Amino acid sequence: MYTASWGDVVRRDLFGPHPDRRDRPYRIVIRLALVVFRLFGFRFDVRGQEHVPTSGGAIICSNHVSFFDFTFLGLAALPQHRLVRFMAKSAVFTHRFSGPFMRAMQHIPVDRKAGAAAFDSAVRALKDGQVVGIFPEATISSSFTVKDLKAGAARMAIDAGVPVLPAAVWGGHRIATKGHDVVLRRGVAVTVLIGEPLVPEPGEKVQSLLRRTRAAMEALLDEAQQSYPDQPAGDDDRWWLPAHLGGTAPTPEEAKEKDAAYAAGHKVAKTRRPPVQRLKTLVARARR
């Protein structure tokens, strides 16, 4: 397990011997993220960093379970001195607080009503040798399993001639995820796995690469869930486990219905446990 240290925050060689001056804002944000990781004592299990290329373009395709997944995935690229340009909804770029940071870090805005521009921007970044991060499920998976993937990532890999790096992240949803209250707790374990590169084969079709990507993501997520060091504090703390592992999260079918209702304009209420149950969970956690 890796826990960020104050030494990591100030390491001079954190970004390699000759970091690009244009990425100074991104580097500052990463150091601030390390401060947060240190203060909250996150316990990271990051595996597969060696699969991130030291140069050239690549696409990191990950599952999506929490609002902070992109910060955790970025850790996997740091040992190779790479910065990941994440694709994110355009509203984040126009927000008065997050917008300036997202633009300064050269992330890629996605307007779902005009996706061609985002696609072209991502392909240009890949051909320029950038690592692009994509959550091909498009939204957080409330079932905590891999949802159907959008085809854009596979198309980008084929058009740009770069490998897909399947990935899985697990644990961050215990802090902040869709449909649940944010719980700022210390010492949460977060697992990040990067799989072996999937290189588009000559003449390979988009759907073929997409199937290979999903299969790899599912295998990595299963590995992350099975090797995760923490267990629920009690029956009322099983919400963060998928149904097939004995958790109380919605099944993929139930989650799909909720997503459809949300897309139709029906707001999904947050899951709020009774105060007594929350108190019991806190007491049980303190005793562990």
Side-chain angles (χ1 to χ4, degrees), residues 89-163:
K89 60 183 180 181
S90 56
V92 181
F93 291 79
T94 57
H95 190 277
R96 63 180 181 179
F97 176 75
S98 61
F101 292 101
M102 296 296 286
R103 294 190 294 272
M105 291 186 284
Q106 302 178 55
H107 293 310
I108 302 170
V110 179
D111 184 346
R112 292 177 183 173
K113 295 181 181 179
F119 180 90
D120 292 342
S121 296
V123 170
R124 282 197 301 271
L126 291 166
K127 289 183 176 180
D128 287 342
Q130 300 287 344
V131 177
V132 173
I134 300 177
F135 297 106
E137 297 165 292
T139 60
I140 287 176
S141 170
S142 56
S143 68
F144 307 136
T145 60
V146 178
K147 299 168 55 177
D148 292 338
L149 307 186
K150 302 296 183 182
R155 286 178 54 215
M156 290 174 197
I158 291 173
D159 284 11
V162 300

Side-chain angles (χ1 to χ4, degrees), residues 242-264:
H244 72 275
L245 292 180
T248 57
T251 64
E253 294 75 20
E254 292 169 341
K256 192 171 185 178
E257 290 181 5
K258 289 184 178 181
D259 289 343
Y262 184 84

Side-chain angles (χ1 to χ4, degrees), residues 3 5 9 20 41 61 66 71 84 127 147 152 159 180 182 184 195 201 211 217 234 247 258 271-274 279 288:
T3 301
S5 68
V9 174
D20 193 324
C61 281
S66 87
T71 64
V84 184
K127 289 183 176 180
K147 299 168 55 177
D159 284 11
H180 292 270
V182 175
L184 299 178
E201 298 174 355
R211 286 192 293 270
M217 288 172 58
K258 289 184 178 181
T271 301
R272 293 180 180 273
R273 292 174 294 158
L279 179 60
R288 293 182 68 182

Side-chain angles (χ1 to χ4, degrees), residues 52-267:
V52 179
T54 56
S55 62
I59 301 175
I60 295 179
C61 281
S62 175
N63 70 309
H64 199 9
V65 293
S66 87
F67 296 130
F68 302 129
D69 288 340
F70 68 97
T71 64
F72 304 142
L73 283 168
L75 281 178
L78 272 184
Q80 305 289 64
H81 305 309
R82 303 302 303 272
L83 300 179
V84 184
R85 317 296 176 179
F86 286 97
M87 300 188 74
K89 60 183 180 181
S90 56
V92 181
F93 291 79
T94 57
H95 190 277
R96 63 180 181 179
F97 176 75
S98 61
F101 292 101
M102 296 296 286
R103 294 190 294 272
M105 291 186 284
Q106 302 178 55
H107 293 310
I108 302 170
V110 179
D111 184 346
R112 292 177 183 173
K113 295 181 181 179
F119 180 90
D120 292 342
S121 296
V123 170
R124 282 197 301 271
L126 291 166
K127 289 183 176 180
D128 287 342
Q130 300 287 344
V131 177
V132 173
I134 300 177
F135 297 106
E137 297 165 292
T139 60
I140 287 176
S141 170
S142 56
S143 68
F144 307 136
T145 60
V146 178
K147 299 168 55 177
D148 292 338
L149 307 186
K150 302 296 183 182
R155 286 178 54 215
M156 290 174 197
I158 291 173
D159 284 11
V162 300
V164 172
L165 304 179
V169 60
W170 185 251
H173 59 303
R174 296 174 61 197
I175 304 165
T177 191
K178 182 174 66 177
H180 292 270
D181 290 329
V182 175
V183 180
L184 299 178
R185 65 185 83 192
R186 286 185 51 81
V188 171
V190 177
T191 299
V192 181
L193 303 182
I194 305 292
E196 294 184 3
L198 302 177
V199 180
E201 298 174 355
E204 184 172 18
K205 301 298 184 181
V206 169
Q207 289 302 318
S208 172
L209 181 57
L210 195 65
R211 286 192 293 270
R212 290 203 288 143
T213 300
R214 177 169 182 172
M217 288 172 58
E218 288 177 329
L220 289 168
L221 180 58
D222 183 64
E223 181 182 348
Q225 291 170 337
Q226 296 292 344
S227 63
Y228 192 67
D230 293 350
Q231 295 297 322
D235 288 342
D236 58 338
D237 189 40
R238 305 188 73 82
W239 64 267
W240 53 271
L241 285 180
H244 72 275
L245 292 180
T248 57
T251 64
E253 294 75 20
E254 292 169 341
K256 192 171 185 178
E257 290 181 5
K258 289 184 178 181
D259 289 343
Y262 184 84
H266 302 294
K267 187 175 181 180

